[in-house]
């Protein structure tokens, strides 16, 4: 029905275990993002092998963080269904939880190996939106994370009604953001360390704030949608950090000129 068919969440079954498209989309997004970072690491004078050290710790941390974040904000349900907390296969992962957990993990890994944390976060700036652009299709196959009813021609059929394909809105935006950040950096336009990650924070948060208002499965902080609150905070923080990083760059550049 519609321009996108109602999906089957199961991709295939092997040895009696059903493999879901949700897992395939998330795993594919993660692998592609890591490969991109691995390829770009030498250009940033960073070790590809060290990237694998980050991956070993950050990948499981990201999954645990995504689930923990979701469970925390739906505790009213999970406190009576404790056996469902570890039921990852049914969905229920939050990208904000992933980002927070991965950044925390990166901090400790960078500290352990005496690496510059910001350099590694900057390396992954285009990788995040790329992984999200691919991973969001897992929501489509799970028939979740969709929007309110609509009669727009690109509506999809879910839960017995025609709805906004919010997963698609975010997937397209994230892919365009990935192209923009990668193009900006590869064309030599990056002026200072931290600029790329600020782009990600500002532009992803801008999109998520508005798309979240269409979704029907939002997590809440009191009467407010938590993703909208966090996106607004991340948007402001991204602008503040941009100003701070740029001033630091200008100050360092002036110091170098004065020393000549």
């Amino acid at each position: 029905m519609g321009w996108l068919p109602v999906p089957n969440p199961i991709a295939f079954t092997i040895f009696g275990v059903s493999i879901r498209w949700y897992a395939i989309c998330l795993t594919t997004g993660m692998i592609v993002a890591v490969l991109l970072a691995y390829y770009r690491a030498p250009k940033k004078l960073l070790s590809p092998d060290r990237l694998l050290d980050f991956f070993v710790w950050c990948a499981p941390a990201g999954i645990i963080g995504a689930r923990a974040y979701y469970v925390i904000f739906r505790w009213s349900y999970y406190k009576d269904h404790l056996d469902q907390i570890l039921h990852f296969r049914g969905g229920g992962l939050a990208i904000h939880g992933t980002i927070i957990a991965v950044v925390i993990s990166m901090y400790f890994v960078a500290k352990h190996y005496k690496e510059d944390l910001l350099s590694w976060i900057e390396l992954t700036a285009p990788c995040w939106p790329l992984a999200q652009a691919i991973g969001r299709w897992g929501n489509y196959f799970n028939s979740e994370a969709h929007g309110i009813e609509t009669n727009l021609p690109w509506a999809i059929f879910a839960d017995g009604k025609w709805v906004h394909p919010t997963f698609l809105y975010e997937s397209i935006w994230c892919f365009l953001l990935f192209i923009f950040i990668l193009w900006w950096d590869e064309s030599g336009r990056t002026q200072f360390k931290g600029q790329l990650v600020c782009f990600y924070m500002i532009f992803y948060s801008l999109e998520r704030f508005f798309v979240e208002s269409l979704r029907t499965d939002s997590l809440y902080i009191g009467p407010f949608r938590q993703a909208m609150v966090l996106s607004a905070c991340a948007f402001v923080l991204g602008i503040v950090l941009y100003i701070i990083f740029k001033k630091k760059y200008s100050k360092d550049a002036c110091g170098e000129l004065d020393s000549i």
Side-chain angles (χ1 to χ4, degrees):
M1 299 178 67
W3 70 282
L4 275 177
V6 177
N8 181 352
I10 307 300
F12 56 89
T13 301
I14 182 170
F15 301 119
V17 178
S18 298
I19 307 301
R20 302 178 72 94
W21 282 110
Y22 183 81
I24 293 174
C25 291
L26 294 187
T27 303
T28 301
M30 180 173 61
I31 292 174
V32 171
V34 172
L35 290 176
L36 174 63
Y38 191 89
Y39 171 76
R40 283 169 43 82
K43 296 182 180 181
K44 296 294 184 179
L45 303 180
L46 297 172
S47 167
D49 293 334
R50 181 66 71 221
L51 174 68
L52 299 181
D53 293 324
F54 276 94
F55 177 73
V56 167
W57 291 100
C58 293
I63 296 172
I64 294 171
R67 184 61 174 174
Y69 192 94
Y70 184 83
V71 169
I72 288 171
F73 284 100
R74 288 206 63 197
W75 186 244
S76 59
Y77 168 81
Y78 284 103
K79 65 183 178 64
D80 297 321
H81 301 83
L82 298 179
D83 60 316
Q84 294 295 306
I85 290 178
L86 298 180
H87 184 53
F88 288 78
R89 285 168 54 81
L93 302 176
I95 184 60
H96 286 125
T98 297
I99 295 172
I100 293 170
V102 168
V103 171
I104 292 174
S105 298
M106 290 182 73
Y107 167 78
F108 286 106
V109 175
K111 184 176 181 180
H112 176 76
Y113 288 108
K114 296 180 174 58
E115 298 275 356
D116 179 44
L117 176 62
L118 185 56
S119 294
W120 284 98
I121 293 179
E122 191 79 341
L123 171 68
T124 64
C127 304
W128 281 101
L130 176 60
Q132 289 171 255
I134 298 171
R136 273 299 170 194
W137 281 86
N139 297 134
Y140 162 67
F141 286 104
N142 262 11
S143 294
E144 63 183 9
H146 56 72
I148 57 178
E149 288 189 67
T150 181
N151 57 4
L152 291 171
W154 54 82
I156 60 172
F157 197 73
D159 295 338
K161 52 186 178 289
W162 295 97
V163 298
H164 280 282
T166 48
F167 83 91
L168 182 62
Y169 299 162
E170 181 151 322
S171 180
I172 293 174
W173 181 271
C174 284
F175 186 73
L176 293 176
L177 181 55
F178 152 68
I179 294 296
F180 168 70
I181 294 177
L182 188 64
W183 166 78
W184 184 276
D185 196 41
E186 292 291 326
S187 62
R189 285 175 167 78
T190 303
Q191 297 175 316
F192 52 87
K193 188 187 300 183
Q195 187 174 34
L196 300 182
V197 72
C198 287
F199 281 157
Y200 171 73
M201 293 176 66
I202 293 169
F203 292 115
Y204 173 63
S205 298
L206 182 66
E207 171 271 326
R208 183 59 187 271
F209 182 88
F210 289 104
V211 170
E212 188 68 25
S213 65
L214 296 174
R215 286 177 56 166
T216 59
D217 62 340
S218 298
L219 302 174
Y220 281 83
I221 302 176
F224 304 105
R225 299 176 189 243
Q226 64 82 211
M228 294 182 71
V229 173
L230 191 56
S231 293
C233 293
F235 178 82
V236 174
L237 179 60
I239 293 176
V240 171
L241 288 176
Y242 190 95
I243 295 172
I244 292 174
F245 291 147
K246 187 173 184 178
K247 283 186 175 181
K248 184 178 185 303
Y249 165 78
S250 300
K251 182 178 180 181
D252 292 343
C254 289
E256 290 178 4
L257 289 175
D258 291 341
S259 64
I260 296 176

